[in-house]
Amino acid sequence: VSTQSMGNRVRHELTNMALVGKAFELSTAALLSKFRFSVRVCGGANDRGVDFRGVWSLSDQQLDILGQCKNEQKAIGPRALREFEGVLASATDNARTLGVFVSASGFTTAAYQQLTRCRFPMLLLSANEQQIVGLRLSSAAQSKLPLLQVGRGVDSIALYYDGVPLQS
């Protein structure tokens, strides 16, 4: 196999990975819209760790959303969360910003431990293209969203805010 042929194959695989990642970002934006999020995909080569941004309009507040998507085979570890904390640290208005980190493969125990140390409001969502299957909040997110309630269905998560379902 020639070096040029291998280079073409690697470029093709990288292009496919980018397309799969972009598809996950778009499906995540559509999924979040079912829960009253209004986000747009903005990820790309120079996204600085932000794959989507927008707002979450709740009955008593509106939060600015910065989001990261990971569509990987393995569960996400603490390093990715620490990197996303850096993104949140540079947010222009920390008081109104909520970080939303979405993974197709879930999170490791160490990532959940990292979330307990996170000083920023952050949600960790495990999701597939159709539904949220897991959700955890940092302490700062719990403080910012005291009226958020999480219900568990057979194979998905239901969200309520002040007793009202958020699903559309």
Side-chain angles (χ1 to χ4, degrees):
V1 178
S2 72
T3 304
Q4 182 178 7
S5 174
M6 285 181 63
N8 288 339
R9 189 175 329 142
V10 168
R11 273 191 297 282
H12 178 72
E13 287 179 23
L14 289 174
T15 299
N16 284 346
M17 287 172 46
L19 291 174
V20 167
K22 182 60 76 177
F24 184 64
E25 292 168 7
L26 292 169
S27 69
T28 295
L31 175 62
L32 291 175
S33 72
K34 296 178 184 178
F35 296 92
R36 300 188 187 169
F37 286 82
S38 177
V39 297
R40 72 183 190 297
V41 172
C42 57
N46 297 312
D47 66 11
R48 298 182 183 210
V50 177
D51 292 328
F52 60 89
R53 64 178 61 236
V55 295
W56 194 14
S57 297
L58 301 165
S59 60
D60 63 342
Q61 62 181 317
Q62 181 171 301
L63 300 173
D64 294 330
I65 301 299
L66 295 179
Q68 173 67 240
C69 291
K70 293 289 185 191
N71 187 12
E72 299 184 0
Q73 298 297 317
K74 292 184 176 182
I76 302 303
R79 180 178 179 198
L81 267 63
R82 286 191 298 269
E83 290 171 359
F84 190 53
E85 286 179 69
V87 170
L88 296 176
S90 65
T92 55
D93 186 359
N94 274 328
R96 289 191 40 198
T97 301
L98 175 68
V100 179
F101 197 117
V102 184
S103 169
S105 56
F107 298 89
T108 64
T109 300
Y112 289 130
Q113 291 169 346
Q114 179 65 33
L115 183 68
T116 65
R117 295 185 293 274
C118 180
R119 64 184 178 100
F120 299 102
M122 186 188 305
L123 303 180
L124 297 186
L125 301 178
S126 298
N128 58 39
E129 293 177 1
Q130 291 87 30
Q131 58 199 8
I132 297 172
V133 296
L135 179 141
R136 299 262 181 112
L137 292 84
S138 67
S139 295
Q142 290 172 14
S143 295
K144 189 175 285 290
L145 297 164
L147 302 177
L148 182 67
Q149 297 133 350
V150 180
R152 298 204 180 271
V154 174
D155 56 0
S156 66
I157 297 293
L159 295 179
Y160 302 87
Y161 197 77
D162 198 15
V164 177
L166 291 178
Q167 290 85 331
S168 57

